[in-house]
Amino acid sequence: MIIIKQEGGKIISGASMKDVPTILWLEEIRKEDIVSVGGKGASLGEMASIGLPVPKAFVVTAQAFRRFLVETGIEKKIFASYDRLDVENNEALEKAADGAKTMVLKAKMPAFIKDEIRHAYKKISAEDLIVAVRSSATAEDLPDASFAGQQETYLNIKGEAALLEAVQKCWASLYGARAIYYRAKQGFDDQTVNIAVVVQQLVHSEKAGVMFTSHPITGEPLTIIEGSWGLGEAVVSGSVSPDKYIFDQRSEKLDDVLISNKKVEIIADGDHGTKQVDVTGARQDAQVLSSAEITKLAMYGKIAENHYGIPQDVEWGIMNGTIYILQSRPITTIGNKKEAKSMSGQKQDNKIILQGQGAAPGIASGRVAIIRDVKDVGSVKEGDILVTKMTNPDMVPAMRKVAAIVTDEGGMTCHAAIVSRELGTPAVVGTKTATHVLTSGQLITVDGEKGFIYEGEITAPAKPAQVMQMAASAPHIITATSVKVNVSIPDAAPRAAATGADGVGLLRIEHLILGLNKTPGWFITNNKEEDFVRELHDGIKMVLDAFPGKPVWVRTLDAPTDEFRNMMGGENEPHEHNPMLGWRGIRRDIQSPDQFRLQVESFKRLWKEGYENLGIMFPMVSHPDEFLAAKAMMKACGVDVENVTLGIMIEIPSSAIMIEDFIKCGIKFASFGTNDLVQYTLAIDRNNENVADMYQPQHPAVLHLIHSAIQMCRAYDVECSICGQAGSDPKMAIWLVEHGIASISANIDAIAKIREAVARTEKRIILDAARKRDAE
Ligand code: PEP
Ligand code: MG
């Protein structure tokens, strides 16, 4: 859409109609020509001018379109059909759009415009070249308004007649219902909009995809490239899970490679259009891009970003081994570009002194505060970097005020990792030696995404809260699979709710109690039962209030005995060799009726207050008898157990294997606690950094248990979910959706990417099915 100021059909500013030719060649275009060639055309021209490999192209200018409207006499009729259109009235909108589109399509293109397009087409290549015909809309490519996809693109166009038809179709797409609606909402006057059309050599790519020249949310200088076989349409439309490559512009090194199973590709279909075909054999799992290609692409991305001064969203294709840049437009999701830049500028000079697992995203600098004994935790000051062997619940108050957290021990599901993610505090866990290598007072910078600790300070780092904000404000995508969020700390509930999650798939209430620094036993022996019930009630209520009408699954207490040890009353906790395999979860509650009764009392109050969305989940269940026992105990406490939502976690292989028996006992839902399920299936301690590389949520045995339990739940129509850390991994989320999971509960920081992975996978499943049906 191009806006030309005009009065009574006459252009009064911008380029004069007569001055601007019907055709402009890419080489002659600069970004100032946006009024004539639209954002896409101007951007391609700019890129060609700085030497990027852009395929040959010319643009049918916006003025040519305006001449078409005037010469055919439809201009006034179209605008009349918009007079006082109520765009909120769907029927009226569709009708106006259809009418306008038909007028454009039916009008006879003036001979002089046709001739000029034909002439240009011949000039681009002696033979009939296969071209892509793209609408070029100004608002689509402006940094502050991303209306991508509102106007059409036609691929694989060959021959003059097909080209002329495609140009006219692009013009007509200016009056699509969606386009009219958005323009009206953005306050554009429809009488002054215009459109250009880019005609460009089609790159019959053997591989293609998209590239974000910087991280789309944090703005970090990490180039993210997605690529798959065939034309880029497969990646853009989401019909294939592409390979993903992350290239760090600071170190100029490939950071991460994620190879996907690429089931389909889109290729040219004869002279017209495109078709989707299956990818067969080894190509399905083969890496699409060589490291040389990734490096070169990232370099092109950098050139484009530097030239435009803002991170770019680039479409690329590789034909006969040559890289082509097909399109580039600003990324609109990045908040504060300046911060991202200064961070990258500084970071290159800072030395990495330690590495662990990036457990909570964000970058922060501060002075090291080493805590060897929890008694010293009071000495930690606001803005310090808390360095300790492993955090425990009595450190949570300190964890709230520090800038970042670093531990010697632990993996992605340890206490430090879970709590940090929720607090939005960057954390690196499992460094093995942080408490020895770092010294108190030392100035360091922690990168909680990549797991690096840098020497010294990196100024103006991205603030995690701000990052979360941006992730949260991403457009809400509706998915059939519910995307829920995990909560452990009630005051994180507003942030959790801001993600737009479909509910809470796990509320760990032990964190509520552990934060009080007194064991449940202490409350009971000191006649403080009411305090205990109130604490639970108030904490859970905070979460319920943040998710009105959405399911909130609250898990009954599940803390290993060693986590209670340092608290008041901890002296009465048994010493266990293997607390992970010990007295925890539902097995402990069944043997501690008072402790269970107090929890149930808080749930009862909430149900009574009308929180029907409260569901209760029992942890560490290994046999249906335990579920029945817990249910009976609830009934004895006066709960109408048949009419409340009770479910279990699947954390022990036995519960996955016996899921049908659980279902027959009346569970309403089941949720995979993969943090434990993995450790109990593979005999790998989840918190032991020495075996961290063997801790594999995607181990075939784990997947086998998950798959069979999902199928059983589906057969009985029982909601099957996941709340373990594996659910925050997009790759796993894709697998789970493919295998029929009903909901996924992820960490706050992962919701946006999980929702996107889920949406893409669902769309792909639907598309695959539709295409299969069409083929039959
Ligand atoms: C799990 O085991 O996956 C889980 C979510 O529970 P926790 O991490 O609290 O053991
Ligand atoms: Mg667990």
Side-chain angles (χ1 to χ4, degrees), residues 459-602:
T459 50
K463 291 177 189 68
Q466 190 184 339
V467 171
M468 312 296 300
Q469 207 78 41
M470 282 186 266
S473 63
H476 188 62
I477 311 168
I478 307 287
T479 55
T481 311
S482 308
V483 177
K484 301 182 187 173
V485 65
N486 294 340
V487 181
S488 298
I489 300 170
D491 51 357
R495 279 180 53 233
T499 63
D502 299 316
V504 174
L506 165 66
L507 171 58
R508 292 175 165 102
I509 59 169
E510 57 277 5
H511 287 261
L512 257 160
I513 297 305
L514 294 167
L516 302 173
N517 207 22
K518 293 166 190 128
T519 66
W522 182 93
F523 285 95
I524 294 164
T525 48
N526 289 282
N527 291 325
K528 298 274 190 222
E529 292 191 354
E530 179 54 27
D531 292 358
F532 182 87
V533 173
R534 212 171 332 106
E535 286 291 345
L536 277 186
H537 168 274
D538 294 353
I540 299 170
K541 186 171 177 297
M542 262 179 88
V543 180
L544 287 163
D545 284 336
F547 290 86
K550 293 183 178 178
V552 173
W553 293 347
V554 171
R555 185 176 71 177
T556 53
L557 280 176
D558 180 19
T561 47
D562 57 337
E563 289 200 5
F564 283 134
R565 178 87 18 78
N566 293 319
M567 331 202 122
M568 290 167 77
E571 60 285 359
N572 297 325
E573 291 293 307
H575 282 266
E576 299 182 304
H577 285 297
N578 260 319
M580 279 290 190
L581 301 177
W583 210 35
R584 56 176 288 207
I586 202 65
R587 54 180 75 161
R588 180 167 184 171
D589 270 352
I590 290 172
Q591 293 174 5
S592 316
D594 285 337
Q595 179 177 300
F596 191 64
R597 175 178 50 80
L598 297 181
Q599 296 172 64
V600 175
E601 178 57 32
S602 69

Side-chain angles (χ1 to χ4, degrees), residues 217-239:
I217 292 176
T218 63
E220 272 188 279
L222 294 172
T223 300
I224 298 171
I225 301 171
E226 289 188 341
S228 195
W229 303 118
L231 299 174
E233 207 188 333
V235 177
V236 175
S237 68
S239 54

Side-chain angles (χ1 to χ4, degrees), residues 28 41 95 113 205 238-239 247 262 330 428 444 633 702 734 762:
E28 9 178 26
K95 209 167 148 223
I113 300 183
S205 52
S239 54
F247 184 90
K262 298 160 287 289
V428 174
I444 61 168
M633 286 166 80
V702 178
I734 291 168
E762 289 178 348

Side-chain angles (χ1 to χ4, degrees), residues 454-465:
Y454 297 87
E455 190 174 54
E457 185 180 14
I458 294 169
T459 50
K463 291 177 189 68

Side-chain angles (χ1 to χ4, degrees), residues 508 555 558 584 619-620 649 651 673 675-677 686:
R508 292 175 165 102
R555 185 176 71 177
D558 180 19
R584 56 176 288 207
M620 295 294 292
M649 292 195 65
E651 289 163 296
N675 304 346
D676 281 318
L677 187 62
R686 62 191 253 191

Side-chain angles (χ1 to χ4, degrees), residues 701-715:
V702 178
L703 295 183
H704 177 83
L705 288 171
I706 294 178
H707 169 78
S708 54
I710 292 177
Q711 304 320 312
M712 195 58 79
C713 286
R714 285 172 67 95

